[in-house]
C-alpha cells in the first residue's frame, strides 16, 4: 500500500460519547430589579435599582476535557487511543448546608456501601471529605477510580442517587508495551483544585503528554475543551444542566511505523537478548519502520497515574527499562565503522577497489603495537576481502594512508555523531572525535594512534543504533541521504492533513557505480561469503549486506561488550536498512557481532520474507546453529 492510499484509508474507529448528566453541580448570582414606583401626582419615579442576592442560585460554566487524538502506525492501526473510564463517586444532596458531623456520617455510609459492593477496603480521609464538601461539593467526589469491567458490572447493580458512576477520559495503549519508548505516556496535568469552585474549572483532570510522541505532540493531541452549564435555583436545587459546547477530540498523529514489523522486532529482540536495540529504516524514504529497545515497559502502567511500587521497580531496575536504547544510548561501533572508513578511502582515490594491503597479525604505530583479531597473517587483501574478514591491521594502514579528515568528513556526512532530528526528546548525539574534541577532552590533537583506533571503530567514537541504521540507509540508497522520519503527518478527524512531514533529501554522496558496487560486494560477502563473519544473519532467498562489530563499552569497573550487526537488504535492491545491538553482561567476553547481533537480524527478516516457516523449523535451525557455530573470539577488536 502506498503512503497516499494509507492516509486516505485511515479512519478513526468509532467515537466516544460521554454522559455528564450524572455530575452534580452548582453556580452564580441571580438578580431582580425593583418595579417602577408611581406617586399620587402621576409622576413615575425610577429610583436606582436594588439587588437581591440569591446565594443558592448560581450557574456554573465548567470545562469538559476533550479526548486525546490517536497515535497510529503508517496504516492507521491504533498505537495510542482514548477510552472511557468509570469512577465510583459520592454525590452530595443539595442544598449544601450540613454540619461536619452529618457530612462525614453520610460519606462514611456511602463508602461502606461501596466497599461492600466491591469487597475491598476504600480509604478517604475526613479532611479530604470535608474540604471537598465545603469548596467543591457541587461536584461528585471520587472514591474508586478507573474500575475494571468486572467491578463496573458489580457496582451498576448497587448504585443509588448518591452513589453514582462518573465517566472520564483515560489514555489506552491497545498493544501494551509495543512501541512504548516512542509513544511515551500521559499523566494528569494537575489534580483538581481544592479551592472553592469557579467558572471555567474542569469537571475532571486533563491529561498531558509526559514522554515520547505523547509529549512532543501534546498540543495537537489534546483537542478543544467543551463547556457544561449547570444552574441551581434559589433553594440550591439543580434546575438545569446542558452541554453548551461539546469537546472536540484532538488530532491524530500518523507515524511511519509498521505495527507488524515493530511487533516482530520487539519479539525477536526480547527472545535473543537481555538488553539491546534494533532499528529498521526504509532507505528510500528515510522512514523508521521499527525501532525497538529491550527491556521496555508498558505505558498502560502510567494510566491514570503510575503506582509508586511500579515506578520504583522500573526506576531501580539495573536493566534500565525506561531508557530507549535505540535512540537515547550510544555505543562504540567497533568493526561496523570499517564500512564508512572504506567509503572514505575509496572516495579519496588513494585506495582503489583493486588496491592490496597486507593483513599481518599486528601493526605498530609509534611506540604502540595494534593487534589483529586473527592469529595468522592473512596475506595481501583488497578492500572487499579485508571487510569480509574484518582485518584490523588492513584498516589501521588504510586509515593512516588517508588520514583522519576524510574519515571524519564521511562520518559526519552520513549523520554519525549528531542527532537525527526525530521528534523525541533527549536523543543521543553520539560522538565523532575531531581535533577540537581531542583538544577539549585529551588536551592534544588527533595523532596516528588515534587514527588507527578510529579506523576500526574504537577510541572515542560513539554511535546510536538509530544513527547506524540511518548511515547504512544512505549507502543502501546509493549515497542519497533521506531525512530520517518517525511521523508522516497530523490529521483531523475528517482526515484533513493539518501538518505533513514529507520525504526530503538531506544530502547526497556523488558515489560512483564502482564504489557502490564495491561496498555492496564487501558487505554481502560478510554474510554470504565463506570467510564472512555474519553467516547467522542469512535470510532464505534474500541476499543480506551487512557488517558485524564488537567493542568494549562502559566504565572499566562495569565494562561490557556491545555487539553489532548493521546493513541493508535485499543487497541488490534495498528495501530495509537496519542496525542491531546486543549488550553483553559485565565480564562476559564471549560476545560478538557475528554470534549475538547477526542472528537477531536473520531471525527478524526470515519472519518477514518467510512468514510460513514453522516454529519447529526455526527451533531446529537454532539448535543446528548452536551446535556448529564456532565460539566467538575473546579479542575485542574483531567484528564478531
Amino acid at each position: 500500500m502506498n503512503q497516499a492510499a494509507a492516509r486516505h484509508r485511515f479512519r478513526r474507529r468509532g467515537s466516544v460519547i460521554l454522559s455528564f448528566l450524572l455530575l452534580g453541580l452548582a453556580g452564580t448570582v441571580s438578580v431582580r430589579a425593583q418595579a417602577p414606583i408611581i406617586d399620587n401626582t402621576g409622576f413615575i419615579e425610577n429610583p436606582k435599582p436594588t439587588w437581591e442576592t440569591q446565594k443558592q442560585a448560581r450557574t456554573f460554566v465548567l470545562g469538559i476535557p476533550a479526548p486525546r487524538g490517536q497515535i497510529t502506525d503508517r496504516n492507521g492501526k491504533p498505537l495510542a487511543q482514548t477510552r472511557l473510564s468509570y469512577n465510583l463517586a459520592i454525590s452530595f444532596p443539595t442544598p449544601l448546608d450540613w454540619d461536619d458531623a452529618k457530612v462525614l456520617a453520610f460519606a462514611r455510609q456511602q463508602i461502606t456501601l461501596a466497599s461492600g459492593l466491591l469487597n475491598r477496603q476504600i480509604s478517604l480521609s475526613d479532611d479530604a471529605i470535608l474540604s471537598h464538601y465545603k469548596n467543591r461539593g457541587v461536584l461528585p467526589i471520587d472514591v474508586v477510580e478507573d474500575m475494571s469491567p468486572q467491578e463496573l458490572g458489580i457496582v451498576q447493580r448497587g448504585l443509588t442517587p448518591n452513589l453514582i458512576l462518573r465517566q472520564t477520559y483515560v489514555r489506552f495503549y491497545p498493544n501494551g508495551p509495543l512501541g512504548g519508548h516512542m509513544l511515551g505516556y500521559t499523566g494528569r496535568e494537575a489534580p483538581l483544585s481544592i479551592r472553592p469552585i469557579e467558572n471555567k474549572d474542569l469537571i475532571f483532570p486533563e491529561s498531558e503528554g509526559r514522554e515520547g510522541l505523547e509529549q512532543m505532540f501534546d498540543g495537537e493531541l489534546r483537542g478543544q475543551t467543551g463547556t457544561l452549564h449547570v444552574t441551581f435555583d434559589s433553594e440550591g436545587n439543580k434546575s438545569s444542566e446542558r452541554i453548551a459546547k461539546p469537546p472536540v477530540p484532538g488530532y491524530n498523529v500518523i507515524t511511519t511505523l509498521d505495527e507488524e514489523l515493530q511487533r516482530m522486532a520487539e519479539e525477536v529482540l526480547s527472545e535473543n537478548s537481555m538488553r539491546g536495540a534494533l532499528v529498521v529504516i526504509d532507505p528510500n524514504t528515510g522512514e523508521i519502520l521499527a525501532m525497538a529497545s529491550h527491556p521496555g515497559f508498558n505505558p498502560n502502567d502510567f494510566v491514570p497515574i503510575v503506582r509508586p511500587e511500579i515506578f520504583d521497580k522500573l526506576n531501580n531496575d539495573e536493566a534500565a527499562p525506561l531508557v530507549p536504547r535505540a535512540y537515547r544510548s550510544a555505543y562504540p561501533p567497533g568493526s561496523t565503522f570499517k564500512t564508512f572508513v572504506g567509503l572514505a578511502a575509496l572516495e579519496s582515490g588513494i585506495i582503489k577497489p583493486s588496491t592490496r594491503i597486507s593483513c599481518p597479525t599486528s601493526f605498530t604505530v609509534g611506540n604502540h603495537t595494534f593487534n589483529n583479531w586473527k592469529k595468522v597473517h592473512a596475506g595481501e587483501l583488497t578492500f572487499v576481502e579485508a571487510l569480509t574478514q574484518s582485518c584490523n591491521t588492513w584498516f589501521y594502514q588504510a586509515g593512516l594512508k588517508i588520514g583522519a579528515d576524510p574519515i571524519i568528513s564521511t562520518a559526519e556526512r552520513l549523520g554519525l555523531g549528531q542527532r537525527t532530528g526525530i521528534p523525541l526528546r533527549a536523543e543521543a548525539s553520539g560522538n565523532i572525535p575531531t581535533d577540537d574534541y581531542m583538544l577539549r577532552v585529551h588536551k592534544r590533537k588527533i595523532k596516528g594512534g588515534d587514527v588507527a583506533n578510529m579506523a576500526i571503530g574504537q577510541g572515542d567514537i560513539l554511535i546510536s543504533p538509530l544513527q547506524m541504521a540511518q548511515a547504512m540507509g544512505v549507502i543502501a540508497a546509493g549515497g542519497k541521504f533521506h531525512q530520517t522520519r518517525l511521523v508522516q503527518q497530523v490529521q483531523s478527524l475528517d482526515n484533513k492533513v493539518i501538518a505533513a512531514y514529507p520525504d526530503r533529501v538531506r544530502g547526497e554522496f556523488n558515489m560512483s557505480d564502482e564504489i557502490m558496487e564495491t561496498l555492496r560486494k564487501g558487505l554481502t560477502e560478510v554474510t554470504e561469503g565463506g570467510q564472512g563473519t555474519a553467516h547467522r544473519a542469512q535470510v532464505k532467498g534474500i541476499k543480506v549486506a551487512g557488517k558485524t562489530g564488537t567493542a568494549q563499552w562502559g566504565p572499566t569497573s562495569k565494562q561490557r561488550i556491545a555487539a553489532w550487526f548493521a546493513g541493508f537488504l535485499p543487497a541488490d535492491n534495498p528495501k530495509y536498512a537496519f542496525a542491531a545491538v546486543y549488550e553483553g553482561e559485565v565480564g562476559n567476553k564471549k560476545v560478538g557481532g557475528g554470534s549475538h547481533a547477526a542472528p537477531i537480524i536473520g531471525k527478524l527478516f526470515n519472519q518477514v520474507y518467510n512468514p510460513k516457516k514453522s516454529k519447529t523449523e526455526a527451533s531446529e535451525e537454532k539448535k543446528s546453529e548452536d551446535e556448529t557455530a564456532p565460539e566467538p573470539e575473546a579479542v575485542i577488536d574483531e567484528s564478531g
Side-chain angles (χ1 to χ4, degrees):
M1 181 189 302
N2 60 39
Q3 293 181 31
R7 292 175 189 134
H8 289 299
R9 287 190 58 185
F10 170 75
R11 294 293 185 273
R12 183 176 178 88
R13 292 170 173 81
S15 59
V16 183
I17 300 175
L18 281 183
S19 168
F20 297 100
L21 301 180
L22 296 177
L23 295 168
L25 306 163
T28 67
V29 177
S30 171
V31 297
R32 182 176 61 191
Q34 191 175 24
I37 298 174
I38 303 176
D39 66 13
N40 57 6
T41 65
F43 178 79
I44 300 177
E45 181 185 2
N46 278 309
K48 295 180 180 179
T50 62
W51 302 87
E52 179 184 350
T53 300
Q54 302 288 341
K55 293 183 179 180
Q56 298 287 358
R58 301 190 67 181
T59 296
F60 281 100
V61 180
L62 302 173
I64 308 170
R68 290 176 75 84
Q70 293 189 101
I71 302 175
T72 79
D73 86 336
R74 61 192 302 107
N75 299 311
K77 293 180 181 179
L79 302 174
Q81 295 178 299
T82 294
R83 65 174 172 83
L84 276 176
S85 171
Y86 290 87
N87 297 347
L88 190 60
I90 298 172
S91 178
F92 291 103
T94 54
L96 300 172
D97 55 3
W98 290 350
D99 61 26
D100 290 358
K102 191 171 183 180
V103 170
L104 292 174
F106 176 82
R108 292 297 169 205
Q109 181 185 41
Q110 301 303 314
I111 290 171
T112 300
L113 175 59
S115 296
L117 288 172
L118 295 174
N119 193 29
R120 64 162 152 146
Q121 186 69 31
I122 298 173
S123 61
L124 201 61
S125 71
D126 289 352
D127 286 345
I129 294 170
L130 292 174
S131 176
H132 181 91
Y133 184 84
K134 293 174 182 177
N135 294 313
R136 308 181 71 80
V138 295
L139 288 171
I141 182 171
D142 294 329
V143 294
V144 179
E145 292 188 88
D146 198 27
M147 288 183 292
S148 68
Q150 294 78 9
E151 290 176 323
L152 181 61
I154 292 171
V155 301
Q156 281 178 325
R157 297 190 294 270
L159 296 176
T160 69
N162 301 114
L163 190 63
I164 65 171
L165 286 178
R166 199 164 79 97
Q167 297 168 318
T168 63
Y169 291 129
V170 168
R171 205 55 164 160
F172 174 59
Y173 302 91
N175 303 300
L178 187 74
H181 288 112
M182 292 174 288
L183 297 173
Y185 51 85
T186 63
R188 286 177 178 165
E189 186 173 28
L192 291 178
S193 175
I194 59 173
R195 58 168 169 69
I197 192 167
E198 296 178 357
N199 284 334
K200 297 184 179 181
D201 280 358
L202 297 175
I203 59 175
F204 57 84
E206 196 166 24
S207 293
E208 64 178 357
R210 295 280 176 83
E211 252 290 358
L213 294 173
E214 292 276 27
Q215 182 182 40
M216 297 303 292
F217 287 86
D218 187 57
E220 290 85 349
L221 289 164
R222 274 188 187 236
Q224 300 175 28
T225 304
T227 304
L228 182 70
H229 288 183
V230 184
T231 301
F232 288 77
D233 64 21
S234 60
E235 309 229 333
N237 299 309
K238 185 168 69 177
S239 59
S240 69
E241 177 178 292
R242 67 185 180 88
I243 296 176
K245 185 179 76 173
V248 178
Y251 297 138
N252 299 314
V253 175
I254 317 303
T255 71
T256 62
L257 297 171
D258 182 306
E259 185 216 41
E260 185 177 1
L261 187 61
Q262 178 72 26
R263 189 181 303 279
M264 288 190 288
E266 292 192 15
E267 288 176 355
V268 167
L269 191 62
S270 66
E271 290 169 3
N272 294 276
S273 72
M274 294 294 291
R275 302 179 182 92
L278 175 56
V279 181
V280 181
I281 289 177
D282 182 344
N284 304 299
T285 63
E287 294 181 328
I288 299 171
L289 302 176
M291 187 158 61
S293 300
H294 180 73
F297 69 97
N298 190 338
N300 286 312
D301 289 339
F302 289 76
V303 178
I305 56 173
V306 62
R307 297 198 301 275
E309 61 270 22
I310 291 179
F311 183 77
D312 288 344
K313 182 180 179 181
L314 290 170
N315 202 40
N316 297 327
D317 190 334
E318 288 187 0
L322 294 176
V323 175
R325 287 168 161 81
Y327 65 90
R328 202 172 281 175
S329 293
Y331 308 81
S335 293
T336 57
F337 198 72
K338 293 172 182 175
T339 307
F340 315 128
V341 174
L343 173 57
L346 293 168
E347 278 209 316
S348 74
I350 297 173
I351 293 176
K352 302 183 184 305
S354 59
T355 301
R356 289 188 173 275
I357 301 174
S358 66
C359 179
T361 57
S362 64
F363 182 78
T364 300
V365 181
N367 59 0
H368 186 83
T369 298
F370 294 88
N371 295 316
N372 189 24
W373 69 276
K374 281 190 173 183
K375 302 298 187 288
V376 296
H377 196 301
E380 301 283 322
L381 305 179
T382 64
F383 165 73
V384 168
E385 293 166 338
L387 191 68
T388 302
Q389 299 179 39
S390 198
C391 175
N392 289 338
T393 49
W394 192 99
F395 281 92
Y396 295 145
Q397 296 172 77
L400 289 168
K401 281 179 182 292
I402 65 173
D405 288 347
I407 298 173
I408 294 169
S409 174
T410 298
E412 290 176 344
R413 289 167 65 196
L414 288 167
L416 300 174
Q418 53 195 284
R419 295 182 178 91
T420 65
I422 58 170
L424 294 172
R425 292 189 188 277
E427 181 189 356
S429 58
N431 185 55
I432 300 296
T434 61
D435 277 334
D436 286 344
Y437 167 84
M438 296 297 287
L439 284 168
R440 188 172 67 253
V441 176
H442 299 292
K443 311 306 179 188
R444 60 175 172 79
K445 290 188 177 183
I446 294 173
K447 294 184 177 182
D450 301 314
V451 177
N453 248 343
M454 188 185 300
I456 64 164
Q458 297 283 359
D460 289 12
I461 300 175
L462 292 172
I463 295 174
S464 74
L466 175 59
Q467 288 173 11
M468 181 66 78
Q470 173 183 261
M472 286 297 184
V474 177
I475 293 175
K480 191 170 286 188
F481 189 163
H482 295 269
Q483 174 63 44
T484 299
R485 292 176 293 143
L486 180 58
V487 173
Q488 284 186 348
Q489 58 193 31
V490 178
Q491 290 182 197
S492 62
L493 285 180
D494 57 359
N495 294 322
K496 290 181 180 177
V497 176
I498 306 303
Y501 307 92
D503 183 12
R504 177 172 65 85
V505 176
R506 174 173 161 180
E508 190 164 2
F509 282 78
N510 295 317
M511 196 183 300
S512 69
D513 292 341
E514 182 183 32
I515 291 177
M516 182 62 213
E517 187 53 37
T518 301
L519 286 169
R520 192 192 313 276
K521 185 176 180 181
L523 292 168
T524 304
E525 285 293 302
V526 170
T527 302
E528 309 291 337
Q531 292 187 297
T533 57
H535 294 161
R536 294 175 70 176
Q538 291 177 358
V539 176
K540 185 178 180 181
I542 300 293
K543 283 190 176 181
V544 179
K547 185 71 191 78
T548 53
T550 307
Q552 290 176 330
W553 166 68
T556 304
S557 60
K558 295 184 178 180
Q559 201 158 71
R560 58 181 71 216
I561 292 174
W564 288 84
F565 185 61
F568 52 86
L569 79 163
D572 54 352
N573 184 26
K575 289 180 60 180
Y576 305 101
F578 58 79
V581 174
Y582 177 103
E583 286 186 19
E585 295 300 308
V586 174
N588 181 10
K589 293 189 176 181
K590 290 189 175 182
V591 173
S595 58
H596 289 75
I600 292 172
I601 294 299
K603 290 172 182 177
L604 172 63
F605 285 104
N606 268 303
Q607 286 188 45
V608 172
Y609 284 100
N610 306 293
K612 294 183 180 179
K613 189 173 184 178
S614 70
K615 287 190 175 181
T616 302
E617 288 175 308
S619 177
E620 289 176 354
E621 181 183 87
K622 182 180 186 304
K623 183 179 178 182
S624 175
E625 287 175 344
D626 291 343
E627 290 172 348
T628 60
E631 284 293 316
E633 296 286 336
V635 178
I636 303 305
D637 287 343
E638 53 87 30
S639 70

